[in-house]
Amino acid sequence: MSPNVTDLPDLASRPLGGSVVFATNDLFAPRENLISPGAPEFDPAAFGLRGKIYDGWETRRHRAPDHDHAPERVRLLAADARTGPPEAAWREVLPPTRVQPDTRHRFAIDDGDVTTHVRLDVLPDGGLARLRISGEIIDEALAQLRQRWQDALP
């Protein structure tokens, strides 16, 4: 029987070693916000050097000749980079899927393969507040996580 997703750890979280390795653009809000703990918060009065402060990942909009639009779809790719770079092994685990603004979306993905890296595509552009990747930790990764924890102790 499959575990309930709410019982699984967020594998993208910083305490488990998660990080945002790369983003094509984070002009308005940094990519690291994607894996920040807790729910996103919106403060209409918060402004910084770049303008409005967002508690999510916000990219520069692409200026099309006809109009601007916010992200309308997301896609998720996964890779097992234990034996090489993820660029060579991306597989689509969530095809381009319509999303709505200011809405929590949950997608059940039953891929079955080991995944060390995920790539989120926001199509065509825009922003996203949080990304959670719930899953099971394989024995090899759990042993590495325990070793990192032990090495970090004083």
Side-chain angles (χ1 to χ4, degrees):
M1 184 165 104
S2 297
N4 185 330
V5 70
T6 59
D7 296 333
L8 296 173
D10 174 13
L11 301 178
S13 70
R14 289 187 192 280
L16 289 181
S19 65
V20 181
V21 178
F22 173 79
T24 55
N25 181 296
D26 58 358
L27 178 70
F28 294 111
R31 61 188 178 257
E32 290 82 8
N33 286 351
L34 276 173
I35 60 171
S36 292
E41 297 179 9
F42 177 73
D43 179 355
F47 287 86
L49 295 175
R50 295 180 177 177
K52 179 74 190 88
I53 295 176
Y54 297 98
D55 186 20
W57 171 50
E58 290 285 333
T59 69
R60 172 184 299 141
R61 303 299 189 259
H62 300 284
R63 299 292 184 212
D66 52 345
H67 64 280
D68 284 342
H69 48 274
E72 55 191 48
R73 292 170 287 135
V74 295
R75 176 174 76 155
L76 196 66
L77 304 172
D80 180 357
R82 292 177 296 168
T83 59
E87 293 79 19
W90 291 122
R91 64 189 185 280
E92 187 176 73
V93 295
L94 179 69
T97 303
R98 288 209 171 275
V99 293
Q100 298 295 317
D102 300 320
T103 304
R104 179 179 290 182
H105 296 85
R106 293 177 190 226
F107 303 104
I109 298 171
D110 189 13
D111 180 52
D113 290 335
V114 170
T115 296
T116 61
H117 291 71
V118 295
R119 183 177 113 186
L120 172 69
D121 290 341
V122 177
L123 308 164
D125 56 24
L128 198 69
R130 297 290 188 270
L131 174 66
R132 305 289 186 239
I133 304 293
S134 299
E136 297 177 277
I137 303 173
I138 63 172
D139 291 339
E140 175 187 345
L142 188 56
Q144 291 172 356
L145 186 60
R146 284 186 178 126
Q147 187 60 53
R148 279 203 330 256
W149 174 257
Q150 291 293 324
D151 292 346
L153 292 175

